[in-house]
Amino acid sequence: MQPFNYKKARQAENAVALVTPDAEASYLAGGTSLIDLMKLNVQTPTELVDINPLPLSKIEMQSNNLRIGAMARNSDVAYDAIIQKRYPVLSEALLSGASPQLRNMATVGGNLLQRTRCYYFRDTSMPCNKRVPGSGCAAIEGYNRIHAILGGSDRCIATHPSDMAVAMVALDAVVQTRGPNGARSIPLVDFHLVPGETPERETVLQHGELIIAVDLPASPNASRSHYLKVRDRASYAFAMASVAAALDIQNGIIRSARIALGGVGTKPWRAYDAEKALLNQPANQAAFQAAANAAVAGAKPQKYNGFKVELAKRTIVKALTTVGGMA
Amino acid sequence: MKFRLRRRRLGQLMLVSTVAATFSSFVEKTVAQTSATKTTPMLKSSISETMQVTLQVNGTKHSLQIEPRVTLLDALREYIGLTGSKKGCDHGQCGACTVLVDGQRINSCLTFAIMHTDAAITTIEGLAQGDNLHPMQAAFLARDAFQCGYCTPGQICSAVSLVNEGHAKSDDEIRELMSGNICRCGAYPNIVAAVRDVLEGKKDAAV
Ligand SMILES: Cc1cc2nc3c(=O)[nH]c(=O)nc-3n(C[C@H](O)[C@H](O)[C@H](O)COP(=O)(O)OP(=O)(O)OC[C@H]3O[C@@H](n4cnc5c(N)ncnc54)[C@H](O)[C@@H]3O)c2cc1C
Ligand code: SF4
Ligand code: FES
Ligand code: FES
């Protein structure tokens, strides 16, 4: 691991002021993504600003929102009573991710900014446009079983690995930041970028911009919601396909739907076409199947991940069936 | 017989990988040493070599002079001499390095020692009260919940935390909430039994 300078920040302003002027400086939250990649020399910051002392770990009701502080630990968010009751999909997504030890360290802000698990990205001896722009993509011609079928480009097909972000995208979450140019509110659907020509640019965040909190708006769908994650082993593995689904059903008719996908897209994937297909339809298998077909209509599978198209569809149908059956 | 053979093979594999790891870390060190002088101009001159870090481990304060990049696991094992916590994967994937920080289980390999100067750290060495084993240690012994024992300190620390968290009610939930601790020997059924014993006995697993 490269040596680095270490500082603790006590206030948000102080943290922003420390990171902004130095291109090689980085925030350090739980460390579970950053330290992992520093050990592999994939990330080599020369200055770490530890933001653990910042008072940003509260989960609190505001007038129209639930505000989750950026430093709230994944385990605290998952077991929070309000979240379990009103946003079960978020609690389930968090509990399906990583292990209890990691969830005790991982924070909301860090989880949104964790890097891809593409094994070529993590191996500095391989070409990777995300790690070294212009060096090529080892996955497109390589073993791409875990890669994306939605949102890829001819530069990069890596998936975004977060489960939490998938649930939050379905819940219309808004990211609150503070940066060198003041405060911003960014809808989470617009926060992550598809790779396009610039896979090294993963979010709209500017250097030095600090995530302060994530807001979840009050929603009629949210209490009737579910996260379904399919993976290679029963627990403690990243998603091959996952679905966050929320439905508002009145007299058997779907009045509004929220669907987001994980493990298949280059960013946490909001499935707008699937939602449209469900609107004003009876909550039955035919409608769920039509939504699943719509969700993967634009899919571009690679040599080794063609199975993800069918897997995503079945996962969507199963998740919607579960939500449709909720009292 | 078959089993014996397999174990021996595992032993050989371990030896090979240890040798390989030692060799590569040796290479890394020599490379680092030579490149340190060569690349100094690239690194910012202000990068401090070592800092004074005080850790409170099992009730005792330890003052260390270490670089910020020393992980909590390496600080415990290499600097304080508490070798109970094990290094398996060094990447958060196996749980062998699990310790308790302010009563909560974490992977000590994915966190820097310097981040925990205000915390109370408990390792496997801190669980027993003198000669009295912690109830979870006793349950692991009673249930024969280990073979080679390499994952055991992490399993026990994790299990102690699991009981305190209070979320596991069934065997399935125990399995799910112990999933961050991998056991190469496959002692899982007995580990679940040991954790269940402590849960059901409602023995106080708090530390
Ligand atoms: C073995 C293993 C298995 C895992 N399995 C899963 C899984 O199944 N599902 C899943 O979703 N995740 C999984 N994870 C990933 C884990 O959830 C993330 O590593 C974690 O959420 C990152 O949070 P952190 O606080 O540790 O981030 P850090 O590592 O501290 O930071 C990550 C990045 O975010 C930046 N950052 C952090 N906080 C802020 C902030 N407030 N403002 C601006 N920038 C910030 C840092 O500078 C850094 O660049 C796994 C990780 C491991 C190691
Ligand atoms: S898929 Fe993306 S992250 Fe993976 S090797 Fe290609 S460019 Fe790099
Ligand atoms: S050594 Fe820390 S999880 Fe494997
Ligand atoms: S007892 Fe050998 S690894 Fe678990």
Side-chain angles (χ1 to χ4, degrees):
Chain A
M1 190 187 296
Q2 301 282 326
F4 54 84
N5 256 320
Y6 172 91
K7 291 190 182 115
K8 275 188 176 41
R10 307 272 166 195
Q11 254 90 42
E13 297 75 19
N14 172 230
V16 173
L18 286 169
V19 168
T20 303
D22 184 347
E24 304 297 317
S26 180
Y27 296 117
L28 172 64
T32 60
S33 176
L34 185 57
I35 298 176
D36 186 22
L37 291 170
M38 285 171 70
K39 288 184 176 186
L40 299 170
N41 283 329
V42 170
Q43 287 186 269
T44 52
T46 55
E47 173 105 11
L48 285 188
V49 175
D50 184 348
I51 54 175
N52 283 283
L54 300 187
L56 293 177
S57 51
K58 274 208 206 103
I59 303 170
E60 55 189 351
M61 281 307 292
Q62 298 192 325
S63 52
N64 232 349
N65 278 329
L66 183 70
R67 173 157 292 190
I68 308 172
M71 292 306 296
R73 306 289 155 175
N74 285 354
S75 45
D76 292 333
V77 180
Y79 291 116
D80 180 85
I82 297 177
I83 290 175
Q84 287 194 318
K85 186 157 178 276
R86 298 197 197 173
Y87 308 94
V89 65
L90 177 57
S91 174
E92 291 169 9
L94 282 162
L95 291 177
S96 79
S99 65
Q101 290 97 312
L102 288 161
R103 296 196 291 264
N104 279 344
M105 299 196 271
T107 62
V108 165
N111 191 294
L112 293 177
L113 293 171
Q114 65 175 295
R115 310 299 298 278
T116 179
R117 304 301 288 200
C118 169
Y119 19 70
Y120 302 112
F121 171 79
R122 291 171 64 87
D123 178 351
T124 54
S125 68
M126 300 302 286
C128 168
N129 288 326
K130 202 184 256 313
R131 184 167 27 76
V132 184
S135 62
C137 170
I140 289 174
E141 293 296 315
Y143 187 57
N144 41 38
R145 181 173 178 273
I146 65 169
H147 290 77
I149 55 172
L150 292 164
S153 72
D154 59 2
R155 299 287 174 91
C156 178
I157 52 169
T159 55
H160 192 276
S162 171
D163 292 295
M164 182 197 80
V166 174
M168 284 183 169
V169 159
L171 293 171
D172 294 313
V174 178
V175 182
Q176 304 295 350
T177 72
R178 191 166 310 165
N181 304 319
R184 285 209 283 172
S185 296
I186 309 162
L188 186 58
V189 267
D190 303 327
F191 182 83
H192 295 95
L193 301 169
V194 292
E197 301 285 295
T198 52
E200 72 281 6
R201 249 187 86 64
E202 297 180 336
T203 69
V204 298
L205 226 52
Q206 293 170 340
H207 178 70
E209 198 169 352
L210 179 74
I211 300 178
I212 298 289
V214 174
D215 287 344
L216 300 181
S219 149
N221 302 320
S223 60
R224 207 163 170 163
S225 63
H226 177 51
Y227 191 75
L228 179 60
K229 176 171 174 179
V230 180
R231 44 191 154 173
D232 283 338
R233 41 172 200 228
S235 177
Y236 196 23
F238 287 91
M240 281 296 145
S242 71
V243 176
L247 293 175
D248 182 14
I249 302 173
Q250 287 167 24
N251 303 323
I253 304 295
I254 300 166
R255 291 302 174 196
S256 92
R258 293 284 184 279
I259 300 176
L261 310 176
V264 292
T266 50
K267 59 181 247 177
W269 201 260
R270 179 79 178 259
Y272 287 112
D273 291 342
E275 294 175 4
K276 234 180 270 163
L278 288 171
L279 206 61
N280 298 324
Q281 298 299 309
N284 61 25
Q285 288 295 307
F288 299 160
Q289 190 62 52
N293 294 342
V296 297
K300 287 203 179 65
Q302 306 291 328
K303 185 166 178 195
Y304 295 101
N305 69 1
F307 72 95
K308 280 193 178 183
V309 178
E310 183 60 26
L311 185 65
K313 287 205 280 187
R314 293 189 194 189
T315 312
I316 293 169
V317 171
K318 191 160 182 210
L320 286 172
T321 307
T322 304
V323 179
M326 286 177 183
Chain B
M1 186 60 194
K2 221 178 183 181
F3 183 62
R4 267 242 167 102
L5 254 172
R6 242 199 288 148
R7 283 194 134 185
R8 191 175 301 160
R9 177 99 186 99
L10 258 174
Q12 286 168 350
L13 280 176
M14 261 183 65
L15 190 70
V16 169
S17 66
T18 315
V19 169
T22 319
F23 180 68
S24 72
S25 83
F26 174 73
V27 171
E28 237 172 68
K29 270 181 203 146
T30 32
V31 170
Q33 274 163 16
T34 40
S35 64
T37 42
K38 274 187 201 149
T39 57
T40 312
M42 270 177 59
L43 299 173
K44 279 209 246 131
S45 55
S46 65
I47 287 183
S48 54
E49 290 285 289
T50 63
M51 293 170 98
Q52 171 99 3
V53 175
T54 303
L55 295 178
Q56 196 203 311
V57 186
N58 303 329
T60 307
K61 284 206 159 122
H62 298 267
S63 245
L64 314 175
Q65 192 69 35
I66 53 174
E67 286 187 65
R69 62 179 166 167
V70 173
T71 62
L72 178 57
L73 177 62
D74 286 343
L76 292 169
R77 289 180 56 86
E78 311 294 335
Y79 292 84
I80 301 178
L82 293 171
T83 52
S85 311
K86 298 290 183 268
K87 185 182 283 195
C89 63
D90 213 18
H91 285 275
Q93 298 174 0
C94 73
C97 65
T98 303
V99 302
L100 306 176
V101 171
D102 292 332
Q104 288 205 307
R105 49 177 159 166
I106 66 162
N107 303 106
S108 60
C109 71
L110 278 192
T111 192
F112 295 122
I114 198 168
M115 296 163 73
H116 300 285
T117 47
D118 303 321
I121 298 156
T122 307
T123 69
I124 188 74
E125 290 92 343
L127 288 180
Q129 304 279 311
D131 284 341
N132 290 331
L133 290 183
H134 186 280
M136 193 62 77
Q137 290 173 306
F140 266 63
L141 272 178
R143 286 290 187 170
D144 204 7
F146 46 82
Q147 288 180 34
C148 77
Y150 197 85
C151 71
T152 311
Q155 297 276 4
I156 291 178
C157 285
S158 197
V160 167
S161 188
L162 175 151
V163 172
N164 292 339
E165 289 155 14
H167 299 302
K169 304 275 182 280
S170 63
D171 281 6
D172 270 354
E173 286 168 344
I174 293 172
R175 273 190 279 272
E176 171 62 34
L177 292 175
M178 287 298 289
S179 67
N181 294 79
I182 310 289
C183 175
R184 184 198 61 190
C185 299
Y188 298 117
N190 294 1
I191 294 171
V192 173
V195 178
R196 193 205 307 131
D197 283 352
V198 178
L199 268 178
E200 284 176 356
K202 297 192 177 55
K203 284 182 199 142
D204 186 11
V207 287

XYZ file of all heavy atoms in Angstrom, chain A residues 249-302:
390
model
N -51.372 -0.773 -4.836
C -52.475 -1.498 -5.476
C -53.790 -1.110 -4.804
O -53.901 -1.173 -3.576
C -52.261 -3.024 -5.348
C -50.921 -3.431 -5.971
C -53.412 -3.783 -6.021
C -50.541 -4.879 -5.737
N -54.745 -0.653 -5.621
C -56.065 -0.327 -5.062
C -57.133 -1.092 -5.818
O -57.207 -0.999 -7.048
C -56.306 1.186 -5.156
C -55.454 1.936 -4.128
C -55.406 3.425 -4.387
O -56.305 3.976 -5.016
N -54.350 4.068 -3.924
N -57.944 -1.829 -5.100
C -58.970 -2.693 -5.694
C -58.392 -3.574 -6.801
O -58.978 -3.709 -7.875
C -60.133 -1.853 -6.256
C -60.736 -0.977 -5.164
O -60.830 -1.411 -4.005
N -61.104 0.243 -5.525
N -57.236 -4.111 -6.552
C -56.631 -5.040 -7.504
C -55.943 -4.379 -8.681
O -55.367 -5.058 -9.531
N -55.993 -3.048 -8.752
C -55.372 -2.339 -9.879
C -54.103 -1.620 -9.395
O -54.108 -0.983 -8.340
C -56.349 -1.295 -10.482
C -57.659 -1.966 -10.909
C -55.700 -0.559 -11.650
C -57.504 -2.970 -12.047
N -53.051 -1.710 -10.200
C -51.786 -1.072 -9.829
C -51.860 0.420 -10.135
O -51.993 0.824 -11.293
C -50.609 -1.733 -10.590
C -50.528 -3.224 -10.233
C -49.294 -1.026 -10.265
C -49.640 -4.037 -11.149
N -51.814 1.231 -9.090
C -51.934 2.688 -9.262
C -50.570 3.350 -9.391
O -50.467 4.438 -9.952
C -52.712 3.292 -8.093
C -54.165 2.907 -8.087
C -54.842 3.317 -9.389
N -56.218 2.814 -9.447
C -56.936 2.743 -10.558
N -56.408 3.116 -11.724
N -58.166 2.278 -10.544
N -49.567 2.726 -8.838
C -48.219 3.196 -9.139
C -47.227 2.088 -8.817
O -47.507 1.218 -7.996
C -47.897 4.511 -8.418
O -47.286 4.255 -7.196
N -46.105 2.108 -9.523
C -45.115 1.035 -9.373
C -43.718 1.624 -9.400
O -43.458 2.613 -10.090
C -45.272 0.025 -10.505
N -42.838 1.027 -8.616
C -41.425 1.411 -8.635
C -40.597 0.139 -8.766
O -40.747 -0.778 -7.950
C -41.037 2.098 -7.328
C -41.689 3.449 -7.109
C -41.036 4.524 -7.964
N -41.608 5.830 -7.690
C -42.747 6.275 -8.197
N -43.460 5.517 -9.027
N -43.194 7.474 -7.890
N -39.761 0.097 -9.781
C -38.909 -1.080 -9.971
C -37.486 -0.631 -10.285
O -37.270 0.231 -11.139
C -39.414 -1.960 -11.136
C -40.841 -2.451 -10.838
C -38.494 -3.175 -11.339
C -41.458 -3.228 -11.962
N -36.525 -1.204 -9.578
C -35.114 -0.953 -9.888
C -34.371 -2.281 -9.857
O -34.761 -3.205 -9.140
C -34.513 0.030 -8.892
N -33.311 -2.345 -10.663
C -32.572 -3.595 -10.824
C -31.118 -3.428 -10.398
O -30.509 -2.385 -10.623
C -32.605 -4.044 -12.293
C -33.980 -4.078 -12.979
C -33.821 -4.451 -14.450
C -34.907 -5.056 -12.268
N -30.573 -4.493 -9.827
C -29.148 -4.524 -9.491
C -28.490 -5.733 -10.151
O -29.173 -6.666 -10.578
N -27.177 -5.698 -10.260
C -26.428 -6.831 -10.797
C -26.487 -6.967 -12.300
O -25.800 -7.816 -12.872
N -27.309 -6.160 -12.956
C -27.458 -6.274 -14.412
C -27.136 -4.978 -15.146
O -26.966 -4.980 -16.366
C -28.882 -6.744 -14.806
C -29.112 -8.179 -14.358
C -29.951 -5.822 -14.240
N -27.061 -3.866 -14.427
C -26.847 -2.575 -15.065
C -25.522 -1.953 -14.673
O -24.949 -2.295 -13.636
N -25.054 -1.007 -15.481
C -23.803 -0.321 -15.166
C -23.994 0.703 -14.057
O -23.035 1.276 -13.557
C -23.257 0.394 -16.408
O -24.324 1.164 -16.975
C -22.762 -0.611 -17.445
N -25.243 0.985 -13.713
C -25.539 1.804 -12.543
C -26.787 1.218 -11.902
O -27.453 0.390 -12.529
C -25.717 3.278 -12.940
C -26.828 3.538 -13.956
C -26.906 5.007 -14.286
C -28.217 5.587 -13.762
N -28.367 7.024 -13.964
N -27.114 1.625 -10.681
C -28.371 1.145 -10.089
C -29.497 1.495 -11.065
O -29.679 2.665 -11.407
C -28.466 1.944 -8.783
C -27.048 2.345 -8.477
C -26.388 2.542 -9.795
N -30.216 0.492 -11.548
C -31.006 0.632 -12.773
C -32.485 0.805 -12.496
O -33.171 -0.144 -12.101
C -30.796 -0.606 -13.660
C -31.131 -0.355 -15.086
C -32.293 -0.711 -15.725
C -30.325 0.316 -16.054
N -32.238 -0.298 -17.036
C -31.050 0.330 -17.258
C -29.051 0.910 -16.012
C -30.542 0.916 -18.422
C -28.558 1.480 -17.157
C -29.300 1.483 -18.352
N -32.997 1.991 -12.723
C -34.440 2.209 -12.579
C -35.133 1.727 -13.855
O -34.814 2.188 -14.951
C -34.703 3.697 -12.354
C -36.151 4.091 -12.199
C -36.713 3.805 -10.824
N -38.101 4.284 -10.784
C -38.458 5.431 -10.213
N -37.576 6.160 -9.585
N -39.713 5.825 -10.258
N -36.096 0.804 -13.700
C -36.740 0.181 -14.863
C -38.039 0.914 -15.198
O -39.146 0.411 -14.972
C -36.989 -1.298 -14.587
N -37.894 2.106 -15.777
C -39.066 2.939 -16.083
C -40.060 2.227 -17.002
O -41.272 2.354 -16.847
C -38.625 4.255 -16.728
C -37.975 5.223 -15.768
C -36.626 5.531 -15.873
C -38.719 5.843 -14.767
C -36.022 6.423 -15.004
C -38.131 6.740 -13.886
C -36.771 7.029 -14.010
O -36.177 7.915 -13.150
N -39.544 1.492 -18.023
C -40.443 0.830 -18.972
C -41.292 -0.239 -18.280
O -42.465 -0.423 -18.610
C -39.643 0.199 -20.118
C -39.022 1.272 -21.012
O -39.487 2.438 -20.935
O -38.076 0.955 -21.753
N -40.685 -0.927 -17.331
C -41.432 -1.939 -16.585
C -42.523 -1.269 -15.740
O -43.655 -1.761 -15.654
C -40.481 -2.723 -15.690
N -42.202 -0.129 -15.150
C -43.193 0.596 -14.336
C -44.380 1.024 -15.194
O -45.539 0.901 -14.812
C -42.539 1.824 -13.689
C -41.481 1.452 -12.664
C -40.739 2.663 -12.104
O -41.106 3.804 -12.458
O -39.793 2.466 -11.320
N -44.044 1.530 -16.392
C -45.101 1.982 -17.314
C -46.014 0.813 -17.680
O -47.231 0.965 -17.747
C -44.457 2.570 -18.584
C -44.942 3.989 -18.890
C -44.282 4.535 -20.152
C -42.991 5.275 -19.836
N -42.124 5.464 -21.015
N -45.397 -0.341 -17.906
C -46.175 -1.518 -18.312
C -47.151 -1.956 -17.223
O -48.156 -2.607 -17.502
C -45.231 -2.662 -18.674
N -46.852 -1.592 -15.970
C -47.704 -2.029 -14.854
C -48.840 -1.063 -14.544
O -49.853 -1.439 -13.935
C -46.852 -2.202 -13.587
C -45.897 -3.397 -13.558
C -44.974 -3.298 -12.347
C -46.670 -4.717 -13.535
N -48.666 0.173 -14.950
C -49.582 1.233 -14.547
C -51.020 0.947 -14.984
O -51.272 0.639 -16.151
C -49.103 2.565 -15.134
C -49.526 3.802 -14.343
C -48.960 3.745 -12.917
C -49.043 5.054 -15.051
N -51.943 1.016 -14.039
C -53.377 0.806 -14.276
C -53.712 -0.605 -14.765
O -54.784 -0.822 -15.332
C -53.927 1.857 -15.250
C -53.797 3.256 -14.686
O -53.944 3.446 -13.470
N -53.462 4.214 -15.528
N -52.805 -1.541 -14.547
C -53.079 -2.932 -14.901
C -53.515 -3.694 -13.654
O -53.179 -3.309 -12.532
C -51.802 -3.601 -15.448
C -51.253 -2.967 -16.709
C -52.244 -3.042 -17.855
O -52.768 -4.106 -18.155
N -52.523 -1.902 -18.477
N -54.281 -4.773 -13.856
C -54.583 -5.634 -12.704
C -53.283 -6.284 -12.203
O -52.408 -6.605 -13.019
C -55.536 -6.691 -13.276
C -55.360 -6.644 -14.753
C -54.903 -5.248 -15.102
N -53.184 -6.457 -10.905
C -51.957 -7.021 -10.324
C -51.972 -8.526 -10.495
O -52.298 -9.271 -9.567
C -51.852 -6.620 -8.854
N -51.618 -8.992 -11.679
C -51.580 -10.438 -11.901
C -50.338 -10.863 -12.680
O -49.525 -10.018 -13.080
C -52.850 -10.889 -12.633
C -52.977 -10.231 -14.003
O -51.981 -9.827 -14.625
N -54.205 -10.118 -14.488
N -50.188 -12.170 -12.875
C -48.983 -12.722 -13.487
C -48.727 -12.165 -14.891
O -47.583 -11.906 -15.257
C -49.085 -14.252 -13.559
C -48.957 -14.917 -12.191
C -47.574 -14.707 -11.561
O -46.552 -14.992 -12.171
N -47.556 -14.183 -10.342
N -49.803 -11.983 -15.664
C -49.616 -11.491 -17.034
C -48.985 -10.105 -17.023
O -48.053 -9.813 -17.791
C -50.965 -11.457 -17.757
N -49.466 -9.264 -16.121
C -48.911 -7.906 -16.031
C -47.456 -7.951 -15.546
O -46.591 -7.220 -16.051
C -49.754 -7.064 -15.074
N -47.184 -8.832 -14.578
C -45.813 -8.924 -14.050
C -44.856 -9.406 -15.145
O -43.737 -8.908 -15.278
C -45.758 -9.882 -12.853
C -46.615 -9.449 -11.681
C -47.012 -10.356 -10.705
C -47.028 -8.126 -11.545
C -47.788 -9.960 -9.624
C -47.817 -7.717 -10.473
C -48.199 -8.642 -9.513
N -45.328 -10.378 -15.948
C -44.494 -10.899 -17.021
C -44.237 -9.814 -18.077
O -43.105 -9.663 -18.562
C -45.171 -12.122 -17.668
C -44.282 -12.878 -18.644
C -43.024 -13.470 -17.995
O -43.124 -14.171 -16.992
N -41.849 -13.159 -18.536
N -45.274 -9.047 -18.392
C -45.117 -7.972 -19.383
C -44.103 -6.948 -18.872
O -43.259 -6.433 -19.634
C -46.464 -7.301 -19.656
N -44.167 -6.649 -17.580
C -43.217 -5.695 -16.988
C -41.795 -6.240 -17.089
O -40.852 -5.512 -17.437
C -43.585 -5.436 -15.523
N -41.646 -7.541 -16.819
C -40.311 -8.158 -16.864
C -39.755 -8.082 -18.287
O -38.582 -7.749 -18.484
C -40.394 -9.611 -16.387
N -40.589 -8.366 -19.283
C -40.140 -8.287 -20.678
C -39.705 -6.867 -21.022
O -38.679 -6.656 -21.673
C -41.249 -8.736 -21.633
C -41.572 -10.213 -21.471
O -40.779 -10.970 -20.903
N -42.737 -10.633 -21.947
N -40.512 -5.898 -20.567
C -40.191 -4.497 -20.871
C -38.865 -4.088 -20.227
O -38.077 -3.335 -20.817
C -41.318 -3.585 -20.385
N -38.607 -4.618 -19.026
C -37.406 -4.206 -18.287
C -36.125 -4.572 -19.025
O -35.131 -3.852 -18.963
C -37.392 -4.838 -16.892
N -36.113 -5.706 -19.729
C -34.878 -6.160 -20.383
C -34.922 -5.979 -21.901
O -34.065 -6.515 -22.618
C -34.567 -7.644 -20.040
C -34.321 -7.795 -18.548
C -35.681 -8.562 -20.510
N -35.907 -5.201 -22.388
C -36.062 -5.041 -23.840
C -34.775 -4.543 -24.498
O -34.426 -4.962 -25.590
C -37.224 -4.098 -24.146
N -34.065 -3.647 -23.834
C -32.853 -3.089 -24.442
C -31.570 -3.818 -24.055
O -30.474 -3.296 -24.263
N -31.682 -5.014 -23.497
C -30.505 -5.708 -22.967
C -29.521 -6.094 -24.062
O -29.906 -6.516 -25.150
C -30.931 -6.948 -22.193
N -28.219 -5.928 -23.756
C -27.148 -6.368 -24.667
C -26.235 -7.335 -23.924
O -25.213 -6.939 -23.375
C -26.327 -5.157 -25.130
C -27.041 -4.271 -26.130
C -26.015 -3.463 -26.939
C -26.693 -2.594 -27.966
N -27.530 -1.535 -27.303
N -26.610 -8.610 -23.919
C -25.776 -9.571 -23.186
C -24.436 -9.793 -23.868
O -24.295 -9.560 -25.068
C -26.620 -10.851 -23.204
C -27.630 -10.674 -24.272
C -27.821 -9.207 -24.482
N -23.465 -10.233 -23.092
C -22.127 -10.550 -23.594
C -21.999 -12.067 -23.738
O -22.937 -12.811 -23.456
C -21.076 -10.021 -22.609
C -21.209 -8.554 -22.288
C -20.859 -7.668 -23.471
O -20.018 -8.016 -24.293
N -21.528 -6.518 -23.570
